[in-house]
Amino acid sequence: MATRRDTAAVREHLPIEQRRAQLLTAAAEVMREQGVAAATTRAIAERAGVPHGSVHYCFGTKTALVRALLQSEVDRSVESAGHRSSRSTDLEGVLRNVLEAQLESVRADPGHHAMLDELIALARRDPALADLPGWEHERYVGAAAERIAEWSAASGVALARPAREVATTIMVLASGLSDLWSATGDRAVLDRALDDCVRALAARLSEPA
């Protein structure tokens, strides 16, 4: 069972941005351990070791907290994928690198992936959060398109499709591969499927437009 944080944290005065960050961390912890439905404002405040009113003071509503949490977690995932280095100079190697970057967090931290899936499912049901699934998609596609376009410009290799279209296809493939990993947990099966996806996409992109 979760324990209350040091009571000194309750008395400590923090700038609102720091308090917001503290509450978002607490919300993520509760959701990962118990599911999104268990993350009431009271449970989040208790996990953070702050008065219940702090949640409403910092975010106004739970909906605003959920929005901020989803955005911060997606941003973190995008930044983590962007830091993945690649020395590949061929198209297949670059596509593999971008696709594996999307899968890395799923393999390394399935709890985080499951939490994001739950938050997106919640957003689809809540009119006040209905824009977030589209925002998440655009965030991932835009970041992947940037990396692909940068490689194309640096290597001088022209793609048969615009970088954004390639990135969209990669996101579709990443979603299916993520589901495969979640269902089987079999790295060999995942690697074979990933190899097939990369080869097929590279061959397609090598064709004349």
Side-chain angles (χ1 to χ4, degrees):
M1 182 176 177
T3 59
R4 186 185 297 272
R5 298 192 192 281
D6 185 350
T7 54
V10 177
R11 297 191 299 269
E12 181 184 7
H13 176 73
L14 293 177
I16 190 169
E17 286 307 312
Q18 290 184 38
R19 185 67 77 197
R20 282 168 61 92
Q22 182 184 29
L23 287 166
L24 290 177
T25 297
E29 289 175 358
V30 174
M31 290 179 186
R32 284 170 63 98
E33 294 171 11
Q34 302 174 44
V36 170
T40 62
T41 55
R42 189 169 299 280
I44 293 167
E46 288 180 356
R47 175 59 65 95
V50 300
H52 184 209
S54 295
V55 178
H56 299 285
Y57 172 72
C58 290
F59 293 98
T61 64
K62 183 180 177 182
T63 297
L65 183 150
V66 169
R67 175 179 290 277
L69 177 62
L70 181 55
Q71 290 175 328
S72 68
E73 292 297 312
V74 169
D75 284 344
R76 184 163 68 87
S77 294
V78 168
E79 288 167 11
S80 176
H83 290 152
R84 181 187 174 94
S85 61
S86 174
R87 296 181 180 176
S88 298
T89 57
D90 64 297
L91 176 59
E92 188 173 311
V94 170
L95 294 174
R96 179 183 302 279
N97 180 261
V98 175
L99 184 52
E100 285 188 335
Q102 306 307 315
L103 294 172
E104 189 169 340
S105 63
V106 180
R107 293 193 301 240
D109 193 352
H112 182 258
H113 177 67
M115 181 185 73
L116 282 179
D117 277 353
E118 269 202 86
L119 285 171
I120 287 295
L122 172 64
R124 291 193 179 104
R125 298 191 300 269
D126 187 340
L129 300 172
D131 61 300
L132 287 179
W135 172 85
E136 180 205 32
H137 173 77
E138 176 58 34
R139 189 77 174 85
Y140 285 126
V141 169
E146 262 186 44
R147 297 178 66 193
I148 293 165
E150 286 171 0
W151 170 80
S152 180
S155 66
V157 176
L159 300 173
R161 295 289 185 275
R164 182 177 175 80
E165 287 185 18
V166 179
T168 299
T169 300
I170 285 176
M171 291 305 108
V172 172
L173 295 174
S175 177
L177 291 169
S178 295
D179 289 345
L180 175 64
W181 174 252
S182 297
T184 67
D186 190 322
R187 182 61 183 265
V189 170
L190 179 67
D191 286 346
R192 284 196 298 271
L194 190 150
D195 285 344
D196 289 342
C197 288
V198 167
R199 290 186 186 123
L201 183 55
R204 178 62 175 158
L205 292 175
S206 298
E207 297 174 359

